[in-house]
Amino acid sequence: MISLTQHILAGQRRHPEATGDFSAVMTQIAFAAKKISRDLRQAGLLDILGSTGETNVQGEEVQKLDQQANDTFVQVFEQSPLVRTVVSEEMEEPYLIARAVETGKYVLFFDPLDGSSNIDVNAPLGTIFSMHRLTRSSDKFSVEDVLHPGSVQLAAGYVLYGSSTVLMYTCGNGTHQFTLDPTIGEFFLSATDMQIPQRGKIYSVNEGNYEKWSQPMQSCLDYFQSVDAASGRPYSLRYTGCLVADVHRVLLKGGLYMYPGEVEKPDGKLRLMYESAPLTFLIEQAGGLGSTGFERISSIQPTSPHQRVPLVIGSREDVEFVEQTLKEGSMAFLK
Ligand code: FBP
């Protein structure tokens, strides 16, 4: 069995210029994930369910476990001389790591606990992370130093806290899956160079928002729901309320996850830097696509750390179908 650390070190050996810093950061991400996994497994026994009563930068009620997961990541990286800045869904401003002022060369974006509405109902949860090289425009920190398109991510991944804890990551050399063995507290390689089917049979979307969508977006859903055996339709609906769990299913089985823009809210709900861009890097390394419906997620030049974008992600043919339909604004071939 190959451990995550061994896999990362093997990747490092393929880069003679590598310093080991990247591996060290990946090991710290895995350490934070193990702590969060432990906390979630004990959640019902400890007083860590429910809300903190606070509201975060997204205007969402902060759950105690959201805060605890965020604190876990910050505590782990406050010990690191390598990560200069962390940007979290739960923190309004980028957080500067004091001990990495001179030595820090990376930026870490993360959604510490994805699927917050699932916390109190023991349904799947996730963590999403994205690593960028820090550019320094001057000695003084500026937010522009952390705003880079998805195409230049160094690494990205997610952790799925489900029946088992699974960590998925890419550093531009394929998408690889590791499963946590809680008896020894180590992640082991359970699938490598994953490839998503070119077309699927599943769609994942909050249909409750149908009336809020544009007509072309509505007709996309109508297409996936209409009966046509030749093209494997209707697709089946699977929606867990946890982006990581739904994208994990799509990566393994094919199909697509969508959180579209709405007529009144064209940017949708999901955040570019720590949700859409890292998941797109993973899916595209596995042969799929990530799009807003109009442009590829990885090509977007970010303008703020918490900006939102619509997301259509998954099997290449299914995402291209949605892009074509939205761009053409019509559904000529809808029976
Ligand atoms: P959080 O990171 O705040 O949990 O938000 C993202 C998310 O919960 C996704 O995991 C999920 O797919 C989506 O929002 C659910 O949103 P909705 O309840 O509007 O369908």
Side-chain angles (χ1 to χ4, degrees):
M1 294 225 287
I2 299 172
S3 73
L4 176 63
T5 312
Q6 290 166 324
H7 190 267
I8 293 169
L9 291 176
Q12 188 184 301
R13 279 193 289 278
R14 282 197 293 274
H15 300 275
E17 78 289 355
T19 60
D21 292 346
F22 171 80
S23 314
V25 174
M26 279 302 299
T27 307
Q28 287 171 302
I29 292 170
F31 177 54
K34 291 174 196 172
K35 292 183 84 173
I36 295 170
S37 179
R38 184 251 348 248
D39 294 344
L40 294 179
R41 305 251 171 256
Q42 300 172 342
L45 307 172
L46 307 171
D47 175 28
I48 47 177
L49 292 177
S51 161
T52 61
E54 309 281 321
T55 300
N56 67 13
V57 61
Q58 329 286 346
E60 295 160 347
E61 193 183 9
V62 179
Q63 303 298 309
K64 288 180 186 168
L65 273 167
D66 277 326
Q67 193 58 55
Q68 179 142 334
N70 188 69
D71 296 348
T72 296
F73 261 88
V74 171
Q75 282 150 17
V76 166
F77 283 96
E78 268 176 336
Q79 311 311 318
S80 165
L82 299 171
V83 173
R84 172 78 179 94
T85 308
V86 296
V87 179
S88 164
E89 179 187 21
E90 300 302 334
M91 298 192 294
E92 182 144 8
E93 298 303 326
Y95 183 78
L96 308 184
I97 306 282
R99 66 176 300 173
V101 172
E102 302 305 326
T103 53
K105 54 183 188 177
Y106 302 118
V107 183
L108 185 73
F109 286 84
F110 60 93
D111 177 354
L113 208 54
D114 168 60
S116 308
S117 60
N118 284 356
I119 290 175
D120 289 351
V121 294
N122 202 14
L125 292 163
T127 289
I128 310 170
F129 62 88
S130 169
M131 208 169 127
H132 285 258
R133 191 173 298 289
L134 176 71
T135 53
R136 291 176 188 258
S137 53
S138 71
D139 289 348
K140 202 165 162 315
F141 173 81
S142 125
V143 73
E144 275 67 40
D145 295 343
V146 303
L147 296 179
H148 306 297
S151 54
V152 298
Q153 290 172 91
L154 292 177
Y158 60 71
V159 184
L160 171 59
Y161 309 102
S163 45
S164 63
T165 295
V166 161
L167 183 150
M168 197 73 75
Y169 94 101
T170 185
C171 53
N173 188 13
T175 292
H176 314 288
Q177 176 183 279
F178 297 79
T179 303
L180 180 63
D181 178 341
T183 62
I184 56 174
E186 181 55 280
F187 283 102
F188 289 99
L189 187 64
S190 46
T192 190
D193 281 333
M194 303 183 71
Q195 289 302 310
I196 185 172
Q198 285 302 300
R199 185 164 186 187
K201 295 185 175 56
I202 290 167
Y203 69 91
S204 188
V205 70
N206 183 344
E207 290 190 2
N209 295 330
Y210 183 89
E211 292 300 324
K212 300 176 186 171
W213 299 338
S214 67
Q215 193 276 325
M217 190 62 226
Q218 290 175 344
S219 56
C220 287
L221 195 67
D222 300 342
Y223 172 81
F224 290 121
Q225 291 176 333
S226 53
V227 178
D228 177 62
S231 59
R233 288 176 296 137
Y235 282 18
S236 297
L237 169 64
R238 294 286 183 276
Y239 193 69
T240 66
C242 174
L243 169 65
V244 167
D246 290 327
V247 167
H248 187 68
R249 181 199 308 274
V250 160
L251 176 56
L252 272 62
K253 305 287 183 188
L256 77 175
Y257 169 98
M258 301 180 279
Y259 207 107
E262 297 163 5
V263 174
E264 303 300 320
K265 241 183 5 175
D267 292 336
K269 174 184 183 177
L270 301 178
R271 283 54 56 137
L272 173 63
M273 298 306 286
Y274 43 79
E275 290 173 322
S276 302
L279 296 175
T280 291
F281 190 15
L282 280 163
I283 288 279
E284 294 193 349
Q285 279 287 311
L289 281 179
S291 172
T292 64
F294 296 96
E295 65 181 313
R296 298 294 158 80
I297 296 284
S298 55
S299 65
I300 299 173
Q301 172 53 49
T303 53
S304 90
H306 301 290
Q307 80 182 77
R308 300 173 193 264
V309 288
L311 181 64
V312 180
I313 190 168
S315 295
R316 176 172 293 276
E317 291 176 23
D318 295 320
V319 174
E320 286 172 342
F321 162 78
V322 173
E323 287 181 325
Q324 184 191 346
T325 307
L326 294 184
K327 285 175 189 157
E328 286 170 5
S330 70
M331 247 332 276
F333 44 73
L334 182 66
K335 289 197 184 121

